[in-house]
């Protein structure tokens, strides 16, 4: 069965510090990988996605993620965070099963940026 | 461009009541889905649709019904509300690049509505 694991439920970090949010997935088939961000009381919006090609993917707001097939990981990074990055971040995989693609989410990581 | 619109934003129900959560998209997307978001559990798929007239169950379908009579609308019905259905519900849609009816999210971006916060007392 496919699954997505986000090991950290909450990551506190000081403003302008670097951050890494971890994501591991399990799948025996090819997947597409996504990171979504949810600001308070809002829906989810796409940060970045990996489909194929270069394993380093750049997204919006200065975020990037690296796909590592051997470690089945897709960690999200930002070299210098801002207060406005405080939000919940979801890793997701899109896998083909039961005649359709399904988007499977991790449990989320709450990024708390402190001044 | 409205994107994905969900109504209502908030709702309180009594146990046993029924209601319909509305979802509409104006992007001509083939694929639509409903998720529920619970603390520490991420988003779990309730039902999805790959096109008008076609729906299927997701991970947690019990207690919910859906229909897809048009491309634009994908309502979620709670048949007899229970406290365990207290959650935040999100509708999502995406455009499929696949020409056959089995197209889904695939490698395309999913667009989410703002969510409906439902409390069942």
């Amino acid at each position: 069965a496919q699954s997505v694991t986000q090991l950290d439920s909450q990551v506190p970090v000081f403003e302008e510090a670097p951050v890494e949010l971890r994501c591991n997935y399990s799948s025996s088939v090819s997947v597409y990988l996504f990171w979504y961000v949810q600001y308070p009381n809002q829906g989810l919006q796409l940060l970045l996605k990996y489909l194929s090609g270069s394993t380093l993917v750049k997204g919006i707001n200065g975020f990037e993620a690296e796909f590592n097939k051997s470690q089945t990981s897709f960690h999200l990074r930002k070299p210098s965070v801002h207060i406005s990055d405080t939000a919940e971040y979801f890793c997701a995989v899109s896998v083909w099963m039961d005649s359709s693609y399904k988007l499977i989410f991790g449990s989320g990581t709450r990024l708390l940026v402190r001044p | 461009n409205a994107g994905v619109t969900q109504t209502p934003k908030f709702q309180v129900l009594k146990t046993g009541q029924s209601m319909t959560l509305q979802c509409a998209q104006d992007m001509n997307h083939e694929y639509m889905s409903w998720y529920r978001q619970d603390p520490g559990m991420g988003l779990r798929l309730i039902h999805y649709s790959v096109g008008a007239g076609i729906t299927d169950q997701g991970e947690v379908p019990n207690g919910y019904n859906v229909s897809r009579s048009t491309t634009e609308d994908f309502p979620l019905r709670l048949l007899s509300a229970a406290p365990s259905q207290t959650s935040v519900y999100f509708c999502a849609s995406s455009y499929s690049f696949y020409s056959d009816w089995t197209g889904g999210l695939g490698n395309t971006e999913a667009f989410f509505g703002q969510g409906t916060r439902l409390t069942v007392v």
Side-chain angles (χ1 to χ4, degrees), chain A residues 32 34 36 38 41-46 49 51 88 90 94 96-103 105-108, chain B residues 31 35 37 40-43 45 48 50 57 90 98 101-110 112-114 117:
Chain A
Y32 302 113
F34 303 80
Y36 284 85
Q38 183 183 30
N41 299 315
Q42 294 189 24
L44 282 72
Q45 63 183 82
L46 183 69
K49 61 183 178 183
L51 307 180
E88 187 145 22
F90 292 93
S94 180
W96 180 267
M97 58 179 180
D98 300 330
S99 303
S100 178
Y101 279 99
K102 305 288 192 302
L103 194 60
F105 286 87
S107 55
Chain B
Y31 189 99
Y35 292 86
Q37 183 182 25
M41 302 187 75
L43 280 77
L45 182 64
Y48 66 97
V50 299
Q57 296 181 351
F90 288 100
Y98 295 90
W101 68 273
T102 59
L105 289 171
N107 59 3
T108 63
E109 175 184 353
F112 286 81
Q114 296 290 296
R117 187 174 295 274

Side-chain angles (χ1 to χ4, degrees), chain A residues 1 3-4 13 15 19-20 23 27 31 38 45 50-51 55 63-64 77 80 84 88 91 103 115:
Chain A
S3 67
V4 179
V13 63
E15 193 174 18
V19 71
E20 178 179 83
C23 173
S27 176
V31 298
Q38 183 183 30
Q45 63 183 82
Y50 172 78
L51 307 180
T55 57
F63 283 92
E64 63 181 32
R77 302 186 184 100
S80 176
S84 59
E88 187 145 22
C91 181
L103 194 60

Side-chain angles (χ1 to χ4, degrees), chain A residues 65-80:
Chain A
E66 185 158 19
F67 170 59
N68 188 318
K69 188 175 182 179
S70 63
Q71 297 186 4
T72 59
S73 67
F74 191 53
H75 301 331
L76 181 71
R77 302 186 184 100
K78 187 170 182 178
S80 176

Side-chain angles (χ1 to χ4, degrees), chain B residues 6-117:
Chain B
Q6 287 183 239
T7 55
K9 287 187 169 54
F10 302 94
Q11 183 70 50
V12 179
L13 287 179
K14 293 182 179 178
T15 298
Q17 285 185 315
S18 62
M19 80 158 294
T20 299
L21 308 185
Q22 301 292 344
C23 175
Q25 53 91 7
D26 60 0
M27 297 173 282
N28 202 31
H29 285 172
E30 295 178 355
Y31 189 99
M32 296 185 74
S33 52
W34 277 101
Y35 292 86
R36 58 177 290 173
Q37 183 182 25
D38 301 294
M41 302 187 75
L43 280 77
R44 292 180 291 169
L45 182 64
I46 304 172
H47 285 286
Y48 66 97
S49 169
V50 299
I54 305 169
T55 64
D56 209 341
Q57 296 181 351
E59 181 184 357
V60 288
N62 292 340
Y64 308 95
N65 270 357
V66 292
S67 60
R68 184 96 179 270
S69 57
T70 67
T71 300
E72 295 78 20
D73 299 300
F74 191 45
L76 177 73
R77 297 182 188 85
L78 279 70
L79 308 172
S80 177
S84 61
Q85 294 179 304
T86 293
S87 186
V88 181
Y89 291 84
F90 288 100
C91 178
S93 75
S94 69
Y95 178 74
S96 171
F97 292 129
Y98 295 90
S99 59
D100 63 79
W101 68 273
T102 59
L105 289 171
N107 59 3
T108 63
E109 175 184 353
F111 292 83
F112 286 81
Q114 296 290 296
T116 296
R117 187 174 295 274

